């Protein structure tokens, strides 16, 4: 499981772990359905245990962001390590998300 999802206060918390590469991103599409269903709330993506993210993984994050934008919610990303932060900077994703 890449996304472990829990309700948190008035929103949702998704703890993202391991490698979010092409094959795991396919499986994770089903895992993020509860986030998309609650896209009118604040969704926090905790990436402390995320080791790697590919373009397929970035696409999942973008899907969550688009759905929350459409439904009036918000995405916050927290605890990204330097490797993931570098990928976000190179791809322009750093400016698309609120990062703590």
């Amino acid at each position: 499981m890449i996304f472990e999802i829990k309700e948190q206060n008035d929103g949702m918390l998704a703890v993202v772990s391991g490698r979010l590469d092409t094959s795991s991103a396919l499986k994770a599409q089903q895992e993020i359905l509860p986030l998309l269903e609650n896209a009118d709330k604040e969704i926090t993506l905790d990436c402390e245990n995320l080791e790697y993210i590919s373009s397929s993984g970035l696409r999942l994050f973008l899907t969550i962001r688009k759905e929350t934008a459409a439904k009036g919610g918000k995405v916050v990303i927290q605890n990204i390590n330097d490797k993931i932060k570098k990928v976000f900077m190179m791809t322009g994703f750093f400016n698309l998300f609120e990062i703590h």
Side-chain angles (χ1 to χ4, degrees):
M1 180 180 297
I2 300 293
F3 288 83
E4 182 182 336
I5 299 171
K6 310 170 193 171
E7 289 190 35
Q8 172 184 293
N9 302 327
D10 293 332
M12 303 294 284
L13 170 67
V15 178
V16 189
S17 303
R19 297 178 55 84
L20 195 46
D21 55 24
T22 303
S23 64
S24 63
L26 283 171
K27 296 174 193 160
Q29 284 179 345
Q30 293 299 313
E31 294 177 14
I32 68 167
L33 290 178
L35 298 178
L36 302 180
E37 291 166 1
N38 289 280
D40 58 330
K41 301 175 181 171
E42 180 173 303
I43 295 173
T44 302
L45 302 174
D46 186 335
C47 297
E48 183 173 11
N49 298 318
L50 182 63
E51 300 164 10
Y52 172 83
I53 190 165
S54 70
S55 59
S56 298
L58 290 172
R59 201 170 308 117
L60 279 180
F61 278 42
L62 194 56
T63 298
I64 296 166
R65 182 187 179 278
K66 284 182 179 179
E67 195 69 18
T68 56
K71 292 184 177 177
K74 166 178 152 175
V75 178
V76 175
I77 297 176
Q78 64 186 22
N79 301 324
I80 60 173
N81 65 36
D82 289 338
K83 279 196 306 190
I84 304 298
K85 186 183 283 187
K86 186 176 180 179
V87 171
F88 272 58
M89 297 291 267
M90 289 187 321
T91 58
F93 271 56
F94 200 81
N95 297 323
L96 293 177
F97 293 92
E98 183 177 325
I99 299 178
H100 295 228

